[in-house]
Amino acid sequence: QQPVQSPQAVILREGEDAVINCSSSKALYSVHWYRQKHGEAPVFLMILLKGGEQKGHDKISASFNEKKQQSSLYLTASQLSYSGTYFCGTEHEEGGGYNKLIFGAGTRLAVHP
Amino acid sequence: DTGVSQDPRHKITKRGQNVTFRCDPISEHNRLYWYRQTLGQGPEFLTYFQNEAQLEKSRLLSDRFSAERPKGSFSTLEIQRTEQGDSAMYLCASSLALGAEYFGPGTRLTVT
């Protein structure tokens, strides 16, 4: 039931773009995205609810494809501060918004000058 | 809003000892979650509370683990008879119902 994240790791130069995917085998109610830097707690980025919406702030945005049960996180014009491990947390539809999050194994992103 | 706090930040204990961790959530948040995270993995769900009620507990959690949230405020997580496999980062998070979860800094447990 754990969502599958791809790729496992990405190396970028400053200014390059990246896409991180999160796929589930079960119908999803929501997808939550977090970024975690080494030795720190995960930091909330955004939530997407079923309905195929897209969200974003600054140069980080995400989409949720309900038909594919997949969410993608888009990082554009990457900055050094974007480095870290990105996790998606998925909530299954059967919970209707009252279920726990199940996190993927993470995607490690390194941005170099 | 001072964020989620956890205490202690680090704990080293010998195998077989009991340990207790504390989490203070964001004050207006009615939900509180406990997770465990090992190196290279995402947070693994342990249990969660809505106010003072414990609504779900992971089936992976042995009977040595217990959590409480008296009066719906702070929460404690106790591990009895610790084993080396319990070594991990223990994360607490809080949220409003249907909202984003905000994580605390975690308690790193090392069992020797």
Side-chain angles (χ1 to χ4, degrees), chain A residues 97-98, chain B residues 28-31 33 50 95-100:
Chain A
Y98 290 92
Chain B
E28 63 267 27
H29 285 180
N30 55 357
R31 287 192 153 193
Y33 309 80
Q50 179 146 316
S95 75
L96 295 169
L98 307 184

Side-chain angles (χ1 to χ4, degrees), chain A residues 5-34:
Chain A
Q5 289 187 232
S6 63
Q8 290 184 326
V10 184
I11 299 174
L12 299 175
R13 292 214 174 269
E14 257 186 308
E16 292 182 336
D17 303 340
V19 180
I20 299 171
N21 297 306
C22 173
S23 298
S24 173
S25 58
K26 298 190 73 171
L28 297 177
Y29 179 84
S30 68
V31 180
H32 301 219
W33 285 98
Y34 290 82

Side-chain angles (χ1 to χ4, degrees), chain B:
Chain B
D1 177 4
T2 58
V4 179
S5 62
Q6 292 186 246
D7 184 69
R9 296 291 304 278
H10 303 274
K11 179 71 177 179
I12 300 174
T13 191
K14 292 187 177 181
R15 187 164 51 95
Q17 298 294 306
N18 299 343
V19 294
T20 300
F21 308 141
R22 176 179 170 124
C23 171
D24 286 273
I26 293 172
S27 57
E28 63 267 27
H29 285 180
N30 55 357
R31 287 192 153 193
L32 187 148
Y33 309 80
W34 285 100
Y35 293 89
R36 176 171 60 191
Q37 187 177 29
T38 53
L39 195 63
Q41 296 298 314
E44 177 191 16
F45 171 81
L46 296 179
T47 188
Y48 89 93
F49 295 83
Q50 179 146 316
N51 299 313
E52 65 274 10
Q54 187 173 18
L55 296 188
E56 189 171 349
K57 185 176 176 180
S58 170
R59 279 171 278 180
L60 301 175
L61 213 58
S62 78
D63 291 340
R64 297 184 297 106
F65 287 72
S66 62
E68 293 182 341
R69 192 184 182 196
K71 302 179 182 179
S73 54
F74 71 93
S75 175
T76 58
L77 177 70
E78 181 182 17
I79 308 174
Q80 296 181 327
R81 304 181 303 281
T82 52
E83 302 172 357
Q84 286 189 318
D86 296 332
S87 295
M89 176 73 83
Y90 288 83
L91 293 166
C92 174
S94 71
S95 75
L96 295 169
L98 307 184
E101 294 182 27
Y102 292 90
F103 283 84
T107 295
R108 181 168 297 282
L109 174 67
T110 302
V111 182
T112 60

Side-chain angles (χ1 to χ4, degrees), chain A residues 27-108:
Chain A
L28 297 177
Y29 179 84
S30 68
V31 180
H32 301 219
W33 285 98
Y34 290 82
R35 176 172 59 212
Q36 185 175 33
K37 293 184 180 287
H38 183 69
E40 299 179 8
V43 173
F44 170 74
L45 295 176
M46 62 190 79
I47 292 178
L48 297 102
L49 302 179
K50 69 173 188 174
E53 64 177 291
Q54 184 152 352
K55 275 193 174 181
H57 57 83
D58 199 11
K59 296 184 177 68
I60 301 176
S61 62
S63 62
F64 181 14
N65 186 321
E66 192 178 342
K67 288 184 180 178
K68 292 184 177 180
Q69 303 306 325
Q70 177 177 306
S71 178
S72 296
L73 186 71
Y74 307 94
L75 305 163
T76 59
S78 59
Q79 305 168 15
L80 296 177
S81 62
Y82 287 5
S83 294
T85 302
Y86 289 78
F87 293 101
C88 67
T90 56
E91 183 180 9
H92 295 155
E93 190 176 45
E94 63 197 18
Y98 290 92
N99 213 339
K100 63 181 182 290
L101 290 181
I102 303 172
F103 285 88
T107 295
R108 293 185 306 282

